[in-house]
Amino acid sequence: MSMPEVILTEDCMRLISQFERLTGAGSRDCVIDERNNRLIFVVNPGEMGLAIGRQGSSIKKAMDVMGKKIEVVEYSPDPEQFIRNCFLPAKVTAVDFDGEGDSRVAHIEVSDEDRGIAIGKEGKNIFKAKKLAQRQHDVSDVLLVTDVE
């Protein structure tokens, strides 16, 4: 399966290089989420610590300089692991894929106490996971499975 080619706009490239300069963490993608007034960076595997910094110092500095809320997700070449990373700190208990190619859908399960975190205020966390899974792994949708009693 070939990886989707992520097309970075000039804005994103500028933001990524600024983010890399400020934090020292390499980033492979950036989503400008106007609706939630935030920037989401996909950082290289193992560089999450750098991106956040001691007690959040690096990410705080980047937010001050860039004037927006910043969220970071650690990249993984494994779509399942990547989707799990998108939902942190919520713990994903299961990820199932159905469909083929670019119509693959990820169905995720989280524990009840993590549901609120997984969805996020006005659905912003699920939005982040959908957007990033699509860009990084050609997953067409990410759906939260509801437990049917």
Side-chain angles (χ1 to χ4, degrees):
M1 222 185 84
S2 69
M3 295 307 279
E5 177 133 8
V6 175
I7 310 294
L8 292 173
T9 63
E10 223 170 291
D11 268 353
C12 273
M13 288 193 276
R14 195 173 36 90
L15 291 166
I16 285 174
S17 73
Q18 193 179 11
F19 177 78
E20 290 180 343
R21 262 200 323 276
L22 291 164
T23 64
S27 171
R28 56 191 302 135
D29 196 10
C30 139
V31 170
I32 302 169
D33 178 6
E34 300 289 358
R35 202 183 69 177
N36 296 295
N37 192 32
R38 64 179 170 172
L39 302 171
I40 306 164
F41 291 98
V42 176
V43 297
N44 294 338
E47 299 198 0
M48 200 67 172
L50 270 176
I52 291 165
R54 273 225 165 96
Q55 276 128 25
S57 58
S58 300
I59 199 162
K60 280 195 197 100
K61 181 174 73 174
M63 286 194 243
D64 288 346
V65 175
M66 297 168 91
K68 280 218 194 307
K69 186 161 169 24
I70 294 174
E71 293 179 24
V72 284
V73 172
E74 187 167 1
Y75 179 72
S76 170
D78 172 34
E80 180 180 330
Q81 185 56 53
F82 183 66
I83 287 171
R84 288 176 186 274
N85 293 352
C86 286
F87 282 102
L88 287 170
K91 193 164 168 26
V92 174
T93 51
V95 181
D96 289 303
F97 292 99
D98 65 24
E100 291 292 305
D102 57 11
S103 58
R104 270 195 323 164
V105 175
H107 300 271
I108 69 140
E109 287 171 46
V110 293
S111 62
D112 281 348
E113 61 267 24
D114 277 354
R115 266 191 95 65
I117 304 171
I119 295 166
K121 194 172 154 207
E122 290 161 12
K124 71 183 188 128
N125 292 344
I126 197 115
F127 168 82
K128 169 172 76 177
K130 284 177 197 248
K131 188 99 177 142
L132 294 178
Q134 199 173 17
R135 288 173 65 86
Q136 295 295 327
H137 288 291
D138 260 348
V139 173
S140 65
D141 206 355
V142 177
L143 302 172
L144 198 51
V145 178
T146 24
D147 286 337
V148 183
E149 289 302 319

